[in-house]
Amino acid sequence: MNTTIESFAQLELSPPILEALAGIGYETPSPIQAACIPHLRAGHDLLGEAQTGTGKTAAFALPLLDRLDLSARKPQVLVLTPTRELAIQVAEAFQRYAKNLPGFHVLPIYGGQSMVVQLRQLSRGAHVVVGTPGRVMDHIERESLDLDSLKTLVLDEADEMLRMGFIDDVEWILEHVPIERQTALFSATMPDAIRRVAHRYLRDPREVKIKAATTTVTTIRQRFCQIAVAHKLDALTRILEVEEEFDAAIVFVRTKTATVELAEKLEARGYAAAALNGDMTQQLRERVIEQLKGGGLDIVVATDVAARGLDVPRISHVINYDIPYDTEAYVHRIGRTGRAGRTGTAILFVAPREMRMLKVIERATRQPIEPLQLPSREAVADKRVAAFRHQVATVLESEDLDFFHDVVAGMEDSHNADIHDIAAALAFLAQRERPLQLPQSAGPDIATQTAARAERPPRENREAILERRRDFSDGRLQRYRIEVGRNQQATPKDIVGAIANEAGIESRFIGQINLYEDYSTVELPADLPHDVIDILRRVRVRQHQLNIRPLDRDEAQRDAARPRPGAGPRFGAKPAPRGEDAPRKPYAKPWDKPAGKPASDRPHGGKPFHTDRRDTQGTAFKPGKKKPQRDR
Ligand code: ADP
Ligand code: MG
């Protein structure tokens, strides 16, 4: 049905919107836009599945803008996004598309922004509010977000919200918005948990699924390079040097510290590079992104969280300097290139023990990842010499060299030197700042080492893959004590949420949590960098500073001696009875058990969805004990 749609005008969007799109330079609707816009215009609920970079934002923003009543400055559309960066990006997109709608107002709201400012902005009113789940919940509870006029709720990047542990918050919000509404859910993937939310809260939704690998993946050339950790930096600079069609790169690493360290090393090697991580203020992060867009920076070294959803068309290369933890992260990362119809290159560094992960990624993305032969020392030297020769040739052609002829003639006479020797000496001087040859290191060139290794790919091993999921650099977990416990109403979910958000440690690398009366213990990677621990020390859960520290030996023994009942689900598990100093059950990872919460634990008893919604409305349901985590 969509194959015939070639222009936005065919989608019956209003003239002000069409003019704005012409101004931005969109020519034809993307497939997801062509498919979704008619449904959303008609007021239907919608379940949209399409990869990142396929234009989902406009798919909902355009039709919803057309349905706004601009004379009423009250929230009519609420969009939930997993991160503040995305909230800002989506709000900016609305603003651009609404350029010709007089008086239009969109407001992003997210954790970390001053509450006072947000309350003021909200009281002034906005037609569209875009927010992260935690902050939106806050405002619903405070009744500072007026939902009386809400017509449409959009869940953007629903799978990401699930991955980040916000799904309970999202459901809470779904329970608190008016029943008479349109709901649209967008997601790059459709895991069961998301499908269940859709079935529960969407009414007779139209389903739109755009086949994976249309936009993103086919325009991205994916390559990998097997390399020992110690040689990664050398490998990266070689690649950057010889890559054709290089414009800008985003380099992914695992930790915030690594972003800073690697950016500094690249800067020292003459690249315009900067770090992008969750420790940086919003302002600073935005500046880095602006610089990258404008060409003031060519390389940004980022963590997954900081770069999520980043949309900078000139990124020609994504370098997976540290391998991602899972295939979704990989797909999100490489989606930063090959945007807006351009082609891109994704390069994955794989340590020898990570070769299995490579196979998993290939299988999940159904795309082969070609081996990349690291440029040899000679290849890099050739490239540099070629550039040098070009420079010399340009000077010979365009500069007046009379004075320098005399200087050289003078040398020839006084040293009685051969003209070739003099030229060689001058070439030597000219390249001292940026040598033409890579320094000789001991042992064989890393390029030949990688070639040899690539010849023996290790065999698949399921255990090892599962094991890898717990792996955080060297894989060891250690127990830490945090100063918040059951008496402070802390739940494992609060704790996981706070640690994941503030320290950028994904929840899957957070091990078992034991809740005690006034403190808790939590398993985290043993090799957490100091700066991460410093951040965690200051993090607050339920207003209590964590003051995290490793357990000493006695404490660890006491903690370990606690009885350990069998595994149970972490999320949605009932809180342990109060007053009993027993640890919580070890939990299964969310991906082990997508079955969600037991029905009995749902505030509304897991009834079918119609009754459910009416109940919720009729009794002005407030979620008693259940207070989902905040995004801070
Ligand atoms: P998604 O949400 O699916 O990841 P976005 O909405 O962020 O995708 O869009 C990705 C990029 O494509 C953005 O730079 C956006 O401006 C651009 N884009 C969206 N729709 C179109 C279109 N119809 N024509 C050209 N570019 C588009
Ligand atoms: Mg999006």
Side-chain angles (χ1 to χ4, degrees):
M1 84 176 246
N2 311 308
T3 46
T4 55
I5 293 180
E6 276 159 15
S7 72
F8 283 103
Q10 271 176 284
L11 293 167
E12 295 173 44
L13 295 166
S14 65
I17 301 273
L18 292 176
E19 275 163 37
L21 292 176
I24 297 166
Y26 291 4
E27 284 169 354
T28 50
S30 71
I32 185 101
Q33 292 162 2
C36 292
I37 289 174
H39 295 315
L40 290 175
R41 269 173 50 83
H44 294 302
D45 279 12
L46 185 107
L47 187 57
E49 181 179 349
Q51 286 217 316
T52 44
T54 49
K56 292 191 283 295
T57 318
F60 60 81
L62 301 177
L64 297 182
L65 278 171
D66 256 349
R67 282 161 53 86
L68 288 178
D69 172 5
L70 287 172
S71 65
R73 198 156 157 173
K74 292 178 113 198
Q76 297 162 45
V77 174
L78 172 62
V79 183
L80 297 180
T81 65
T83 64
R84 58 187 94 171
E85 280 75 16
L86 280 173
I88 292 169
Q89 244 178 51
V90 169
E92 282 174 354
F94 265 98
Q95 197 68 59
R96 279 196 299 155
Y97 303 143
K99 183 165 167 271
N100 305 318
L101 298 182
F104 170 76
H105 214 76
V106 55
L107 183 63
I109 55 173
Y110 43 83
Q113 204 188 21
S114 150
M115 201 60 172
V116 181
V117 172
Q118 264 175 24
L119 289 171
R120 200 166 52 224
Q121 289 171 329
L122 279 166
S123 69
R124 283 200 209 116
H127 300 101
V128 175
V129 171
V130 186
T132 50
R135 198 42 84 93
V136 167
M137 281 180 58
D138 262 351
H139 285 292
I140 294 179
E141 279 188 328
R142 287 168 180 253
E143 299 185 350
S144 42
L145 178 59
D146 177 0
L147 295 174
D148 291 348
S149 305
L150 191 80
K151 286 193 282 202
T152 308
L153 177 67
V154 179
L155 311 180
D156 192 21
E157 309 235 2
D159 54 349
E160 202 56 43
M161 294 203 268
L162 173 75
R163 255 159 59 78
M164 294 179 71
F166 291 142
I167 204 69
D168 289 351
D169 302 16
V170 170
E171 287 197 53
W172 188 95
I173 293 167
L174 279 158
E175 308 270 359
H176 284 73
V177 291
I179 310 176
E180 285 307 322
R181 58 151 200 268
Q182 178 184 35
T183 310
L185 186 158
F186 288 92
S187 203
T189 57
M190 210 46 82
D192 286 347
I194 295 296
R195 207 162 264 290
R196 264 196 309 279
V197 169
H199 281 149
R200 215 177 145 79
Y201 297 98
L202 268 54
R203 268 190 285 196
D204 186 22
R206 303 296 185 271
E207 290 201 28
V208 170
K209 179 171 177 173
I210 303 298
K211 278 222 166 50
T214 45
T215 322
T216 321
V217 181
T218 51
T219 56
I220 299 173
R221 180 173 179 210
Q222 300 179 65
R223 295 186 288 166
F224 79 92
C225 174
Q226 198 187 344
I227 186 87
V229 175
H231 297 142
K232 280 184 181 178
L233 179 62
D234 188 3
L236 175 62
T237 52
R238 287 190 193 194
I239 290 169
L240 291 174
E241 220 162 315
V242 304
E243 273 296 286
E244 307 288 340
E245 293 172 35
F246 178 87
D247 194 356
I250 181 154
V251 179
F252 282 98
V253 293
R254 284 193 179 174
T255 63
K256 295 175 187 179
T257 348
T259 60
V260 176
E261 284 171 5
L262 183 56
E264 279 171 359
K265 284 180 185 149
L266 289 171
E267 265 195 297
R269 282 163 178 74
Y271 293 97
L276 184 72
N277 67 49
D279 276 0
M280 293 159 56
T281 62
Q282 184 64 34
Q283 236 178 349
L284 208 55
R285 275 189 276 175
E286 275 160 25
R287 202 163 73 210
V288 167
I289 294 167
E290 283 312 311
Q291 284 181 323
L292 184 65
K293 278 186 182 158
L297 281 172
D298 293 328
I299 301 175
V300 163
V301 186
T303 52
D304 288 282
V305 175
R308 194 166 285 145
L310 193 83
D311 183 24
V312 179
R314 68 179 279 261
I315 294 176
S316 58
H317 284 67
V318 168
I319 315 283
N320 291 280
Y321 193 86
D322 293 331
I323 199 165
Y325 293 117
D326 57 28
T327 54
E328 287 107 302
Y330 178 79
V331 171
H332 277 107
R333 283 180 176 190
I334 71 169
R336 299 309 112 220
T337 184
R339 295 184 75 82
R342 304 187 194 202
T343 55
T345 297
I347 295 171
L348 174 64
F349 283 177
V350 189
R353 70 193 176 88
E354 295 163 342
M355 282 302 280
R356 291 184 190 94
M357 186 62 187
L358 174 72
K359 296 292 162 211
V360 175
I361 292 175
E362 275 189 325
R363 211 179 303 133
T365 56
R366 297 210 182 86
Q367 295 276 330
I369 304 179
E370 314 156 33
L372 163 115
Q373 177 53 51
L374 205 59
S376 65
R377 209 179 268 143
E378 291 74 29
V380 175
D382 285 351
K383 188 94 182 177
R384 293 183 184 177
V385 169
F388 183 63
R389 280 160 75 156
H390 181 73
Q391 270 183 315
V392 173
T394 314
V395 170
L396 285 175
E397 259 174 40
S398 56
E399 299 290 336
D400 176 2
L401 296 174
D402 288 351
F403 172 76
F404 299 95
H405 274 296
D406 291 347
V407 174
V408 173
M411 289 187 208
E412 218 178 352
D413 290 346
S414 58
H415 299 300
N416 194 17
D418 178 54
I419 194 78
H420 285 101
D421 292 337
I422 294 171
L426 293 174
F428 171 80
L429 288 174
Q431 57 96 61
R432 261 220 291 233
E433 286 283 295
R434 244 181 109 63
L436 291 174
Q437 290 171 296
L438 289 177
Q440 290 279 337
S441 53
D445 189 2
I446 59 169
T448 46
Q449 292 178 36
T450 48
R453 254 191 250 107
E455 281 160 18
R456 42 176 178 85
R459 278 215 313 267
E460 280 293 298
N461 175 339
R462 203 177 143 63
E463 248 81 281
I465 294 166
L466 292 175
E467 182 56 30
R468 225 206 131 267
R469 301 203 121 167
R470 286 183 72 89
D471 189 18
F472 191 100
S473 39
D474 73 354
R476 277 176 309 119
L477 289 177
Q478 169 173 357
R479 249 183 204 286
Y480 294 80
R481 175 180 164 125
I482 52 177
E483 301 304 323
V484 61
R486 276 206 296 271
N487 286 347
Q488 290 77 41
Q489 268 86 43
T491 66
K493 189 168 167 275
D494 292 332
I495 294 168
V496 171
I499 293 175
N501 272 329
E502 301 293 327
I505 302 173
E506 286 186 60
S507 56
R508 81 199 60 179
F509 301 106
I510 304 172
Q512 193 195 47
I513 294 173
N514 291 339
L515 282 185
Y516 296 93
E517 291 288 323
D518 288 306
Y519 71 97
S520 308
T521 65
V522 52
E523 279 181 328
L524 293 173
D527 53 357
L528 283 184
H530 284 298
D531 59 338
V532 174
I533 298 204
D534 276 346
I535 295 164
L536 281 173
R537 219 171 268 141
R538 295 191 301 266
V539 168
R540 287 171 181 273
V541 167
R542 305 265 151 182
Q543 322 299 326
H544 293 269
Q545 196 162 326
L546 294 187
N547 276 327
I548 194 166
R549 63 169 174 79
L551 293 189
D552 63 34
R553 191 185 302 182
D554 285 353
E555 288 172 319
Q557 272 174 1
R558 251 180 287 136
D559 193 72
R562 295 285 158 199
R564 290 276 157 87
R570 173 176 52 171
F571 293 110
K574 284 197 170 154
R578 301 262 255 116
E580 170 201 331
D581 202 26
R584 287 184 62 87
K585 294 173 177 183
Y587 48 81
K589 305 282 173 191
W591 55 82
D592 291 338
K593 261 202 163 184
K597 331 186 239 193
S600 61
D601 193 46
R602 288 193 181 275
H604 29 71
K607 278 175 274 174
F609 112 98
H610 287 299
T611 343
D612 191 349
R613 274 204 192 169
R614 233 171 282 131
D615 282 355
T616 303
Q617 264 294 303
T619 58
F621 166 76
K622 284 267 173 193
K625 288 176 298 204
K626 189 180 153 214
K627 253 203 157 203
Q629 80 198 51
R630 300 298 142 106
D631 49 317
R632 287 167 184 77

